[in-house]
Amino acid sequence: MSTLPTQDRPVVPETGGTRFSSLPVSPVDVVRCTVFSAAGQGLDAMADALFRGSVTGREPDGGVTPGEYPPRLDLLALPDFVPADTLGRKGLNRLTRTDQLASVACAVALRELPRQAAAVEPDETGIVLGTSVGSTRRVGEFIRDTFAEERPYFVNPSHFPGVLMNSAAGRAAIHLGLTGLNSTVSGGPLAGLHALRFARNALLAGHARRLLTGAFEELSPQRAWAWHRSQGLAAGVPLGEGGAVLVLEPSGGREGGPRPLARLLACEVGFADPKSGLPSVSRRLANCIRTALVRSGVAPEDVAVAVPGAAGRGGWAMVEELALREVFPRGGTSGPVERLTIQPVLGETDSANGALQLAATLARWQDGRNATEHERAAVITSISPDGSVGCAVVLQPPLDRE
C-alpha cells in the first residue's frame, strides 16, 4: 500500500452546521457514481426502475441454451452493455465479465468528473473493490478444465489471471494507468460494505486522494447453479448482475471540487455465530447499527430511509428487519423509517449488493418524484448467513451546497 508523505495528506475539516460539528468520525464525500444494474446504466435508470417497482427481464448476451441455467430461475442480465465501446476490442476476450464491468465503470466515473476535479495524479488515485470469489464463471471453467483436459498443460494459461480475486481491480487500474492504492476485499454479501469501510479508512489515513470503490457481480451458469443447489434465493427474487463504482474523496479536502452526491460516515461490521440462534444475529446487527449511528453523530430519528441487503436471501430478510425495528421502533411495527429494498426489483447480486444499495440511495435522493429533500440520513445494512453483519451511514448533502 502506498503512503502519501505526511505533509501531502488531505486535511479533513469539520463540516459546518450544528448537525455535523461534533462528528466523531471524519466524513468522506461520494462525488460520483457509475452504476450498472438490470435497469440499465446510470442513476436515472435505476431511480426509474425503483420508482416503478419493476424492470423488463432480459436473458444473458447470446441467449440461454437448454440446460445451461437451472429451470424456473428468473434471470436479470444487464441491458445494452457493450464494453468494446469503452475498452476497445483488443484483448477484450481475455477479460472476464466482472473485469469488463469494473473497468468500464471506473473509466466512465473518471470521465464524468469535472475537469478541475479530475486533475489528480494517477499515483494518488486508487481502486478498492469488494467481491466474493471474483469471476464465478472463470473460476468454475478453470477448475473444470483441470479435471477434464487430458494433460495439465492443456489448460489454457491465459485464463489464470481471471481466476484471481483481484483481477477486476488490477485490470481496471492497468487500463486507466492508475498506480495508486489497489485492493480487493473478499466479504461475501458484505463485500460492498467492507470495500467502503476499507476505502474510507485508507483515504483518511492519507494513502490516496481519490478512490474508486465498489463491487460487481456477473451473471453466469456457475453462479446460478450454486443458488439453485443451495435453495437460498428468496421466493420471487430473480438472479441479477451489475454493480457500482463510487468516487470517494476526503470531505472538503479539495478547493473547487465537485459537489458531493452524499457523505459517507461510519461504516461498521460485526459478527454473531448463527449457531447461537438467529435472534442473536439480529441483535448483533442492531448493535452494529447503533454503533454506526453514534460514531456518525446521527440520532435514530434523523434517519429517513433504511436500505436492507438481505431481501434476496430466503429467511434472512426478517432477521435483518427485526434489527431495524429494534433500532427504529417508532410508529408501529415497521416504524417511520422507509425501506428501500432493491433485490426484488433488480435481482440478487451477491457481493455487489452493498454498492448497489448505496447507488440506490443516491438515485432516490436525485429523483424529484420522491420528494426526498427533507431526508437527512440513510442506513445501508447487510447480513450474511455466516453471521457477518454491517451498516453504513450516509448523509444527503444540504441543498445550499449547489
Side-chain angles (χ1 to χ4, degrees), residues 266 268 282-300 322-329 379 381 391 393:
E268 300 295 318
S282 182
R283 288 192 296 272
R284 184 66 187 91
L285 176 57
N287 289 334
C288 189
I289 298 171
R290 290 192 187 95
T291 301
L293 291 175
V294 169
R295 296 202 65 213
S296 301
V298 173
L322 289 175
L324 291 170
R325 291 181 187 181
E326 184 177 332
V327 180
F328 309 108
V379 294
T381 61
C391 174
V393 180

Side-chain angles (χ1 to χ4, degrees), residues 1-2 102 106 122-129 165-185 198 202 207-208 210-212:
M1 178 183 294
S2 62
C106 289
D123 63 349
E124 297 175 331
T125 302
I127 297 176
V128 179
L129 296 183
M165 283 192 297
N166 65 344
S167 175
R171 303 263 198 184
I174 292 170
H175 174 74
L176 296 170
L178 303 179
T179 57
L181 184 154
N182 192 281
S183 295
T184 299
V185 187
F198 183 98
H207 295 300
R210 174 181 295 155
L211 287 176
L212 310 179

Side-chain angles (χ1 to χ4, degrees), residues 65-101:
T65 58
E68 184 181 17
Y69 281 85
R72 299 181 297 280
L73 181 65
D74 294 331
L75 305 175
L76 284 179
L78 297 183
D80 306 322
F81 179 66
V82 186
D85 290 348
T86 302
L87 306 178
R89 296 192 176 279
K90 184 178 180 181
L92 192 62
N93 60 350
R94 290 198 293 270
L95 302 183
T96 68
R97 188 167 175 85
T98 301
D99 295 342
Q100 296 173 2
L101 286 167

Side-chain angles (χ1 to χ4, degrees), residues 156-168:
N156 190 342
S158 69
H159 288 174
F160 180 72
V163 175
L164 304 176
M165 283 192 297
N166 65 344
S167 175

Side-chain angles (χ1 to χ4, degrees), residues 268-352:
E268 300 295 318
V269 294
F271 172 79
D273 190 347
K275 294 180 181 177
S276 59
L278 296 183
S280 68
V281 180
S282 182
R283 288 192 296 272
R284 184 66 187 91
L285 176 57
N287 289 334
C288 189
I289 298 171
R290 290 192 187 95
T291 301
L293 291 175
V294 169
R295 296 202 65 213
S296 301
V298 173
E301 54 267 27
D302 290 332
V303 177
V305 59
V307 192
R313 298 176 181 273
W316 286 96
M318 182 51 67
V319 179
E320 190 175 34
E321 176 61 24
L322 289 175
L324 291 170
R325 291 181 187 181
E326 184 177 332
V327 180
F328 309 108
R330 297 174 302 172
T333 56
S334 61
V337 176
E338 188 170 343
R339 306 297 193 260
L340 177 60
T341 307
I342 66 172
Q343 287 81 13
V345 179
L346 303 176
E348 170 61 36
T349 53
D350 298 336
S351 61

